[in-house]
């Protein structure tokens, strides 16, 4: 997703007092997580985020 769109969504969600919001820029990544190059890095970043809040 283009950074401008992702960042705009992040800024809107960031105002939600009841949720944790983070954004990570991962250049060269596409939408097809299961077949794109770097999918393990993307998945690892997402899983690390979830793990921090589910322990």
């Amino acid at each position: 997703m283009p950074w401008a769109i992702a960042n705009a969504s992040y800024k809107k969600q960031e105002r939600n007092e009841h949720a944790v919001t983070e954004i990570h820029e991962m250049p060269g990544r596409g939408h097809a997580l299961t077949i794109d190059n770097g999918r393990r890095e993307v998945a690892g970043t997402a899983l690390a985020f979830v793990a921090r809040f589910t322990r």
Side-chain angles (χ1 to χ4, degrees):
M1 149 177 319
W3 179 253
I5 294 171
N7 198 38
S9 295
Y10 166 75
K11 287 182 182 295
K12 188 175 276 191
Q13 182 63 31
E14 186 178 39
R15 295 187 297 246
N16 182 347
E17 298 173 9
H18 306 289
V20 177
T21 303
E22 293 182 2
I23 189 168
H24 293 269
E25 185 171 15
M26 304 184 96
R29 304 299 185 252
H31 285 281
L33 178 60
T34 58
I35 61 172
D36 280 343
N37 181 37
R39 65 186 176 269
R40 290 183 190 272
E41 179 187 3
V42 174
T45 300
L47 288 171
F49 174 84
V50 171
R52 288 188 359 238
F53 299 100
T54 58
R55 291 183 182 170

